[in-house]
Amino acid sequence: MANNYLTSSFILEMTAEDAEMVRLAQRASEIVEDPCISDTGRDLAYADLGPRFAALFPPKDDDDFGSFLDLFDDPDFPTFDCSIVISEPDAEGQCKVSFSGNQFGVDQVANLIFAACKSALPCAFSWAHTCDALRPDEFGGGCVIITDAGIDFHSTTGIIGRVLGTGAGPSETPKPLFDPALVSIEQKRFSHTQWEILVCYNGQRIEQYGDKIELAGKEYRGHPREVWMAVAYREAIARDMASRLPVVEEAAITAHLNTH
């Protein structure tokens, strides 16, 4: 058995106002994760976050936290998967905010920085994917570039592909359309109630993800295959492994990302 880690640690400097928004986002994450909070309590907790939070993350789809949950690929797991520490403001009103973790939420942290930390832009951070066993293709990493224009993700796979022209990264040669038959979804079971899902496309590793494990009757079950197929599609397109499908076909696949 081997363990995989997605690690990152970095510090951003930003205004005290933006740092406060990060703190409020941490609190919001705790609120929406708490299964014991009633609907009324949830509404009151949202109001307690204040008008600046409400302006940045307004209610959506009959949910006060609807816009906030858009930060996360899976709204059932609204956590940033990292430790966030905020310093006291210095004489110029600037704060240092550190982000670190061993199973780092790259996407959601990048989304948070882009949405709430405009004073820190442009900025970037790097991440590493490692394994405590020396297995082939279990090591890599990447970086995220965040500017006012948006978020740009880069992986070592893509960088190597661009340099070698193998198609792993953006190149002049158009990629074939995404083919579900090329998706590999493998369960990595650690125990009866713990496992992760390794997703690959066309023989190339995408990522090993934590699964949402629930007891259904007498069996423990995770996300259905359709969810992992949607993840594979999203990542294969983002990493330039394949070209996008027509709109209707794409919508049929990616719809599962919106419900899990």
Side-chain angles (χ1 to χ4, degrees):
M1 182 183 297
N3 297 301
N4 292 88
Y5 304 95
L6 198 161
T7 59
S8 185
S9 182
F10 61 93
I11 295 175
L12 294 180
E13 188 170 311
M14 63 188 71
T15 62
E17 291 78 10
D18 284 358
E20 173 64 9
M21 191 59 65
V22 172
R23 187 191 68 78
L24 292 175
Q26 288 180 280
R27 176 59 186 142
S29 175
E30 295 169 355
I31 293 168
V32 294
E33 274 199 297
D34 189 345
C36 298
I37 296 181
S38 65
D39 290 343
T40 300
R42 187 177 165 114
D43 292 342
L44 292 173
Y46 178 81
D48 285 344
L49 294 173
R52 287 190 66 242
F53 183 89
L56 187 61
F57 299 111
K60 177 182 176 183
D61 298 332
D62 298 323
D63 184 352
D64 284 344
F65 289 92
S67 294
F68 174 73
L69 291 174
D70 284 342
L71 296 177
F72 307 92
D73 284 339
D74 189 343
D76 288 335
F77 290 93
T79 173
F80 295 106
D81 290 331
C82 69
S83 170
I84 302 176
V85 179
I86 303 171
S87 74
E88 292 295 324
D90 61 18
E92 285 74 38
Q94 296 290 107
C95 293
K96 288 182 170 60
V97 181
S98 69
F99 302 80
S100 60
N102 286 320
Q103 295 294 354
F104 198 86
V106 173
D107 288 3
Q108 53 265 48
V109 170
N111 290 338
L112 173 64
I113 293 169
F114 177 70
C117 307
K118 297 300 185 183
S119 63
L121 305 184
C123 67
F125 66 87
S126 58
W127 53 271
H129 181 268
T130 62
C131 180
D132 57 13
L134 297 178
R135 292 179 172 176
D137 300 323
E138 294 283 349
F139 298 84
C143 64
V144 184
I145 312 297
I146 310 171
T147 69
D148 288 324
I151 306 171
D152 194 10
F153 296 87
H154 299 269
S155 69
T156 50
T157 301
I159 294 168
I160 292 170
R162 287 193 293 273
V163 173
L164 298 180
T166 60
S171 68
E172 296 180 359
T173 305
K175 304 299 180 297
L177 291 176
F178 177 84
D179 184 354
L182 298 179
V183 175
S184 168
I185 301 170
E186 181 182 356
Q187 186 184 85
K188 300 284 189 176
R189 185 177 286 272
F190 308 134
S191 70
H192 185 60
T193 60
Q194 292 182 312
W195 62 78
E196 294 181 347
I197 302 297
L198 175 63
V199 180
C200 300
Y201 183 76
N202 197 20
Q204 296 185 50
R205 175 196 174 95
I206 290 179
E207 189 58 83
Q208 187 162 308
Y209 299 92
D211 201 357
K212 180 184 180 182
I213 303 169
E214 295 179 330
L215 183 62
K218 296 183 179 180
E219 296 183 359
Y220 285 95
R221 297 179 181 175
H223 280 314
R225 180 179 176 83
E226 290 81 3
V227 170
W228 300 117
M229 183 63 70
V231 170
Y233 179 82
R234 180 193 66 201
E235 295 302 315
I237 300 306
R239 302 177 190 209
D240 203 37
M241 295 176 171
S243 296
R244 298 177 68 168
L245 293 170
V247 173
V248 174
E249 295 177 50
E250 179 179 81
I253 292 178
T254 58
H256 297 282
L257 288 175
N258 299 326
T259 57
H260 294 275

